[in-house]
Amino acid sequence: DLLRHPTGTRGKVHEITPKSAGWGYVGFTLYRLEPGDVAEEMTGETEVIVVPADSPHLTLGSLIDAFKQDPGSVSWGGGSAGGTDDLLVRLLAEQVGLSASRVNYIAFSGGGAALAAVLGGQVTAAVSGYGEFAGQIAAGQLRPLAISAAERINGIPAPTLREAGVALDLANWRAIVGPPGLSVAERDALTARVSRMAQSEAWRQAVAENGWGDLFLAGAATAESVISKMGPKGKVIISSVAIGSIWSRKRQDGVMSV
């Protein structure tokens, strides 16, 4: 009820993810997010690079050395092509002096399938949101080599990419968007409802339990922030990966872009 359209009769509220590239879906209608649209940025989840517990790679540096020596021999498992997992590995490749096209990325239907693949030795390393691998990391079945957060995160036993000399951080972030064509009153009502939820104790607990970063930003400023992230760097990456649209939040050398 909290996130229901203010009129209760038309439109839906939809989640928008990095894969949505600035486009949102309302029913089956594709629309472009514009300044002034309802968009509440909610959470960000760090990515983690893992290897099996018996892998010879004890550090990210070791894995990168093997990757640079023979890119094709290092297979990376993760979610669907063009998603945040794929993007992270290709950005990492560029940061260590390789072309994004040299990445041997094996796309799975989701983090669960990638988890099974890395545990079964089908891929050299796997990439996903930390929550997807947290249980196996805690059980000692997976070795986390690095996380994509800008700084270390309490409770996550892994260094950052930057600590390994890779000037890159990336968050798989999510937002709530409303349908186009809302009146000012409807936009204000929806923004107020989401804001109340984001300030609730239940929401704070959910953020903590899932290891999310709280990125809450409400109202028109969010849509403008999202649009501003779609910069030249992202277009280059999208072209080199030869996929559709990617919309993600990353920082390279302190510059926020797409």
Side-chain angles (χ1 to χ4, degrees):
D1 290 344
L2 186 64
L3 301 183
R4 188 174 56 197
H5 188 280
T7 65
T9 57
R10 67 180 178 86
K12 296 180 180 179
V13 176
H14 297 264
E15 180 185 57
I16 191 163
T17 74
K19 299 176 186 177
S20 306
W23 296 87
Y25 287 92
V26 174
F28 295 100
T29 302
L30 185 67
Y31 75 96
R32 180 126 185 130
L33 186 64
E34 300 290 351
D37 284 349
V38 173
E40 281 39 83
E41 189 172 345
M42 303 301 296
T43 64
E45 182 180 22
T46 186
E47 294 277 293
V48 62
I49 298 173
V50 300
V51 293
D54 60 357
S55 169
H57 301 297
L58 302 181
T59 65
L60 182 65
S62 171
L63 180 63
I64 288 176
D65 287 344
F67 182 39
K68 292 169 68 175
Q69 183 174 0
D70 185 0
S73 70
V74 175
S75 54
W76 306 80
S80 58
T84 311
D85 307 338
D86 188 0
L87 179 60
L88 178 66
V89 179
R90 296 184 192 276
L91 289 172
L92 185 152
E94 291 200 338
Q95 284 293 303
V96 301
L98 296 173
S99 168
S101 63
R102 301 288 303 278
V103 174
N104 179 13
Y105 184 81
I106 301 174
F108 294 91
S109 59
L115 171 62
V118 71
L119 287 174
Q122 299 171 34
V123 294
T124 308
V127 183
S128 189
Y130 182 78
E132 198 75 59
F133 296 154
Q136 285 68 33
I137 291 173
Q141 296 175 295
L142 292 177
R143 178 184 302 133
L145 299 183
I147 58 173
S148 64
E151 300 175 346
R152 289 209 183 202
I153 298 176
N154 289 335
I156 296 182
T160 66
L161 289 170
R162 290 180 178 271
E163 289 179 74
V166 181
L168 171 67
D169 38 85
L170 181 151
N172 185 358
W173 62 278
R174 295 174 174 84
I176 294 172
V177 299
L182 297 180
S183 68
V184 173
E186 289 170 332
R187 290 202 307 267
D188 289 348
L190 182 55
T191 296
R193 291 181 182 207
V194 175
S195 296
R196 287 199 302 274
M197 183 276 294
Q199 295 167 9
S200 69
E201 183 58 35
W203 176 252
R204 293 192 186 99
Q205 183 176 347
V207 168
E209 289 178 353
N210 288 282
W212 298 333
D214 190 346
L215 303 179
F216 182 66
L217 179 64
T222 306
E224 294 168 5
S225 172
V226 165
I227 293 167
S228 73
K229 295 185 179 74
M230 300 183 68
K233 182 63 177 178
K235 295 178 182 178
V236 172
I237 293 297
I238 291 169
S239 174
S240 66
V241 177
I243 56 179
S245 297
I246 297 175
W247 182 32
S248 190
R249 182 178 190 171
K250 72 177 191 304
R251 186 176 70 185
Q252 283 185 281
D253 297 322
V255 178
M256 292 300 296
S257 62
V258 172

